[in-house]
Amino acid sequence: MAKTVIVSLGGSFLFSHSNALPALKQKLMDMRGFNFGIIVGGGRLARNYIDFARKLGLAENALHTIGIMGTDINAFMISKYFNCALYCSDPRLMKFKSKIVVSGGFKPGWTTDVCSAYAAVSSGSKVIFNISKERGVYTKDPKAFKNARLIKEINASKLIEMMTHKRTAGVNYIFDPMASKICRMSGIRVVVTNSVFDIFRYLNGLQVKGTIIEPK
Ligand code: UTP
């Protein structure tokens, strides 16, 4: 029976690395023995709307809902591009009846990282590929600090300590601490990377270029 693997496709990655999408599509289709659940983020589309609506004075819950709508547009677009099923409900109940299923966000106050963690639990996926515009997790913000170093491996508890915990709409996490807690509890590894080829490297037992977050 095919194993299911969850891919958290960051909205920021979508637009900054759109030239990687044809390879991603082809490789996922060709990979035998695996089904894929792809959870798509909202990226700049969601953040622009959230910022605008925040200036209008909308409540935080409404801002999260606007963020989810952004993820839904991106997920719809990717499902059409991949020519595959679109799932629009609770990731905790996600069903994998076809080779690739695409979904956006679900609940106000979560992020698509949280949806990915729940989808991994419901599908039995022992790994999540968090495809981000950053190469992985760094010792500090690589845009602000030239001496920031890429961390090859970190455990979930250490990463949670490093992250901000304010859950405002549109907040930017390399991997959401709430999702890290779900992964820690369920023994799910996370690979943070900006290379779609890391999916295939990892599944073929090769070394990845990004960061591995160990659950323990
Ligand atoms: P994401 O944070 O998941 O999109 O959703 P993203 O930024 O593209 O993902 P990464 O960071 O690249 O991985 C954007 C916003 O939408 C709302 C939140 O406010 C979130 O910050 N959202 C998303 C929810 O409220 N619930 C969800 O289930 C998903």
Side-chain angles (χ1 to χ4, degrees):
M1 212 173 83
K3 284 185 185 160
T4 300
V5 166
I6 300 299
V7 178
S8 179
L9 189 59
S12 49
F13 176 89
L14 256 192
F15 294 97
S16 60
H17 292 69
S18 55
N19 56 356
L21 293 176
L24 176 65
K25 178 181 173 183
Q26 197 55 49
K27 288 276 188 184
L28 294 182
M29 295 303 297
D30 292 348
M31 193 92 193
R32 285 170 184 270
F34 293 96
N35 292 336
F36 294 95
I38 304 181
I39 317 293
V40 188
R44 208 179 317 131
L45 170 77
R47 290 211 172 77
N48 285 349
Y49 265 97
I50 288 169
D51 291 347
F52 188 76
R54 184 170 272 127
K55 281 186 197 134
L56 293 179
L58 269 65
E60 204 61 29
N61 210 53
L63 301 181
H64 285 306
T65 301
I66 287 170
I68 294 171
M69 289 170 170
T71 70
D72 284 344
I73 293 178
N74 289 341
F76 176 79
M77 177 179 72
I78 291 298
S79 74
K80 288 293 168 196
Y81 177 63
F82 283 17
N83 202 12
C84 67
L86 179 67
Y87 179 82
C88 300
S89 190
D90 191 333
R92 293 168 294 193
L93 307 170
M94 202 162 167
K95 302 272 182 302
F96 295 88
K97 289 184 184 147
S98 52
K99 173 94 184 152
I100 306 180
V101 180
V102 174
S103 182
F106 178 66
K107 189 175 168 184
W110 289 2
T111 60
T112 46
D113 290 343
V114 173
C115 295
S116 301
Y118 280 132
V121 174
S122 62
S123 66
S125 175
K126 284 292 158 212
V127 60
I128 295 171
F129 295 95
N130 187 49
I131 313 292
S132 139
K133 70 177 193 309
E134 303 296 345
R135 170 150 177 202
V137 180
Y138 284 80
T139 47
K140 37 190 157 176
D141 181 357
K143 280 190 267 8
F145 299 94
K146 276 224 168 85
N147 62 349
R149 272 186 312 102
L150 180 77
I151 300 170
K152 291 301 289 175
E153 202 177 303
I154 188 168
N155 72 37
S157 301
K158 273 233 172 69
L159 183 74
I160 292 164
E161 272 172 32
M162 283 167 65
M163 298 278 109
T164 169
H165 287 259
K166 60 169 189 187
R167 304 199 62 79
T168 49
V171 67
N172 233 325
Y173 299 115
I174 186 76
F175 192 66
D176 184 337
M178 181 177 168
S180 280
K181 285 180 189 166
I182 298 165
C183 292
R184 182 173 64 184
M185 210 164 63
S186 308
I188 297 163
R189 233 183 216 172
V190 180
V191 178
V192 180
T193 180
N194 64 3
S195 167
V196 298
F197 297 103
D198 267 355
I199 301 174
F200 315 103
R201 287 191 194 101
Y202 182 92
L203 295 178
N204 286 313
L206 302 172
Q207 216 188 353
V208 297
K209 302 222 156 147
T211 301
I212 294 182
I213 308 169
E214 291 288 355
K216 291 282 180 290

